[in-house]
Amino acid sequence: MANKFERIPVTQKYLMTRGQALNFPAKYFDMKFSKGDVFGMVIDIPMSSEVLASMVCFINGAANLYFNNGGEYSGAAQKYRNLVQAAHTLVNNTKILVPQGEKVKKYDLPMGRLQNIYMLTTGGVYKVVVDPMNIPDDNPELRTTYILYQRVLNELRQCQLKDEAEMRKQQAGK
């Protein structure tokens, strides 16, 4: 794991994709939002000293992973209902964390093991930084959000494994 002062190198493709997600407008969802409602999230998760993933989730259940090397895992929500439910639950329940966030217009990458949670709201983008090794017991909003996004990450991994198994099965049949 990178030390707390190191940045993980990223590609231009990653920065552009992440930037598009962070600036995605609420108007593309066929929903009525109130001022301040959360409609999406971008969570930057350092996986190692060389791997950074940004998990992007929206209120409609879409959930994708984008990696610092330009790789991605996307489109799974079109096939897997459990993923849609987990992502929707995460975004829908994140409004409890917004009051702890700082309204931002710049989207820094995380340092070391810290994870950035960007909440896309109808009132702007809010950021909370979390140290997954030190989530305070007296912060149930952060703990709940962390548990919910770990659930989405787990669902994404399960979908990825199912897709890989299906691909192997198809290749064996050829």
Side-chain angles (χ1 to χ4, degrees):
M1 183 59 66
N3 79 38
K4 62 182 172 183
F5 302 111
E6 291 179 10
R7 290 214 188 269
I8 298 171
V10 297
T11 64
Q12 189 65 31
K13 179 183 177 193
Y14 167 80
L15 290 174
M16 288 180 62
T17 305
R18 180 177 174 270
Q20 287 173 333
L22 284 160
N23 290 291
F24 198 83
K27 69 181 181 183
Y28 289 114
F29 296 101
D30 190 22
M31 301 175 80
K32 296 270 190 245
F33 293 110
S34 298
K35 183 151 175 66
D37 282 353
V38 178
F39 65 88
M41 298 179 71
V42 175
I43 304 170
D44 298 326
I45 306 166
M47 305 291 212
S48 73
S49 61
E50 296 180 11
V51 179
L52 171 63
S54 287
M55 182 172 68
V56 177
C57 299
F58 290 106
I59 192 70
N60 65 353
N64 301 314
L65 281 173
Y66 301 100
F67 297 95
N68 62 308
N69 65 2
E72 66 182 61
Y73 180 67
S74 59
Q78 296 171 1
K79 295 191 325 189
Y80 300 108
R81 185 85 186 124
N82 287 350
L83 176 59
V84 171
Q85 290 172 336
H88 173 77
T89 299
L90 167 64
V91 175
N92 197 44
N93 285 284
T94 300
K95 61 185 160 214
I96 62 171
L97 188 62
V98 173
Q100 293 182 36
E102 171 190 357
K103 193 170 184 179
V104 294
K105 292 187 188 277
K106 289 174 49 179
Y107 312 113
D108 297 328
L109 292 169
M111 298 287 272
R113 70 178 183 212
L114 300 178
Q115 300 177 2
N116 292 339
I117 302 171
Y118 290 99
M119 297 163 283
L120 314 180
T121 78
T122 55
V125 178
Y126 291 80
K127 175 185 175 185
V128 171
V129 176
V130 62
D131 179 348
M133 306 305 259
N134 187 23
I135 299 174
D137 290 334
D138 64 348
N139 192 337
E141 298 85 3
L142 182 59
R143 186 169 296 285
T144 298
T145 302
Y146 180 79
I147 289 167
L148 289 173
Y149 78 73
Q150 290 300 313
R151 183 174 160 224
V152 176
L153 260 180
N154 184 52
E155 286 296 336
L156 280 163
R157 184 65 185 139
Q158 295 305 312
C159 295
Q160 204 174 22
L161 291 170
K162 289 175 188 173
D163 287 348
E164 288 171 4
E166 188 177 312
M167 193 175 0
R168 281 194 302 274
K169 188 177 175 183
Q170 287 175 354
Q171 288 174 343
K174 289 184 178 181

